[in-house]
């Protein structure tokens, strides 16, 4: 794919992160998973596609050197989704200022979840998984007793749409801030961490 093709593609395409919680049965310190790695699993909030995207894991769709689109993939034994982890210091994480990373490349180096900024043209914001630190503030909401879910800015949301990418059909993840609409025919999704 040429750089201009990629840019055109990206212009049409969003992302976020979360913090672990528990059901908080008693005022004891929450039990956090011992593994720092988690997968991000789609939970449909409205207008599911056919076939259903429920429980589809998030993975990456290679688009160029160090760049990828964030896509949902059918859950199969061979496609369990990409492993992500939270970057940042403890204080970054507490300040919801960490970013979501995943290792890629050979040898592995960090890839971050990237949410493009809103543009004046209102173009859809396709989430990317690119080499680098990712977008700070993609974090997990964590207000027990609700389960943690990936968030970015206040009142924004993720959605997923069918798309035709260079290697064939795919379900691309997008982000919209408050005030930006979800296109008809796209599924509203929450992204739940699964350890
Ligand atoms: C995930 O989706 C199911 C089915 O719609 C719903 O019952 C459940 O509450 C959702 N989970 C979260 C954490 O929102
Ligand atoms: C999963 O991977 C195994 C081993 O590479 C392969 O034999 C099998 O056909 C794959 N299954 C699917 C559904 O791709
Ligand atoms: C958030 O992270 C950025 C980038 O690492 C850093 O410059 C900034 O100081 C951090 N802000 C807070 C409140 O920790
Ligand atoms: C999305 O793509 C899948 C696979 O190509 C197709 O089966 C399905 O009908 C499409 N759904 C919509 C809503 O376009
Ligand atoms: C830095 C940042 O964007 N933090 C966000 C983390 O997510 C919460 C919502 O869960 C936002 O309110 C914070 O602004």
């Amino acid at each position: 794919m040429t750089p201009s093709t990629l840019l055109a593609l990206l212009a049409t395409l969003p992302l976020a992160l979360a913090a672990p919680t528990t059901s908080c049965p008693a005022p004891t310190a929450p039990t956090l998973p011992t593994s720092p790695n988690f997968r991000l699993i789609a939970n449909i909030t409205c207008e599911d596609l056919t076939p259903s995207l429920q429980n589809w894991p998030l993975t990456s769709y290679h688009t160029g050197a160090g760049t990828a689109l964030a896509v949902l993939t059918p859950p199969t034994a061979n496609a369990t989704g990409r492993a992500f982890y939270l970057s940042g210091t403890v204080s970054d994480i507490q300040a919801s200022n960490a970013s979501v990373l995943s290792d890629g490349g050979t040898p592995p180096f960090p890839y971050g979840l990237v949410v493009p900024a809103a543009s004046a043209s209102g173009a859809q914001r396709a989430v990317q998984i690119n080499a680098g630190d990712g977008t700070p503030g993609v974090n997990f909401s964590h207000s027990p007793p609700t389960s943690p879910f990936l968030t970015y800015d206040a009142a924004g949301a993720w959605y997923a749409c069918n798309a035709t990418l260079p290697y064939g059909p795919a379900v691309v993840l997008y982000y919209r801030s408050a005030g930006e609409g979800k296109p008809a025919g796209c599924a509203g999704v929450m992204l739940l961490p699964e350890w």
Side-chain angles (χ1 to χ4, degrees):
M1 171 166 17
T2 65
S4 60
T5 310
L6 177 60
L7 284 176
L9 185 64
L10 294 182
T12 66
L13 297 188
L15 196 157
L17 196 166
T21 66
T22 69
S23 59
C24 202
T28 55
T31 305
L32 297 179
T34 51
S35 166
N37 294 322
F38 51 86
R39 298 181 306 127
L40 290 168
I41 307 294
N43 218 43
I44 301 302
T45 59
C46 66
E47 227 187 301
D48 200 359
L49 302 189
T50 306
S52 174
L53 306 182
Q54 181 69 17
N55 295 329
W56 284 29
L58 187 69
T59 190
S60 54
Y61 183 107
H62 181 79
T63 53
T67 64
L69 286 171
V71 298
L72 296 172
T73 186
T76 68
N78 291 355
T80 56
R82 217 175 147 118
F84 294 93
Y85 57 92
L86 280 172
S87 77
T89 62
V90 170
S91 58
D92 280 337
I93 291 170
Q94 286 174 342
S96 295
N97 196 33
S99 54
V100 175
L101 299 181
S102 178
D103 287 338
T106 310
F109 57 99
Y111 274 63
L113 209 52
V114 172
V115 179
S119 68
S121 69
Q124 284 183 259
R125 299 158 69 184
V127 179
Q128 297 155 46
I129 299 176
N130 296 341
D133 288 342
T135 302
V138 172
N139 71 101
F140 291 98
S141 81
H142 47 97
S143 41
T146 60
S147 305
F149 56 92
L150 194 70
T151 61
Y152 180 38
D153 53 14
W158 312 101
Y159 65 92
C161 309
N162 266 358
T164 302
L165 297 181
Y167 309 121
V171 176
V172 174
L173 181 70
Y174 297 82
Y175 186 74
R176 62 191 179 101
S177 296
E180 293 179 278
K182 178 185 75 61
C186 297
V189 297
M190 294 175 72
L191 292 167
L192 309 181
E194 184 177 285
W195 280 272

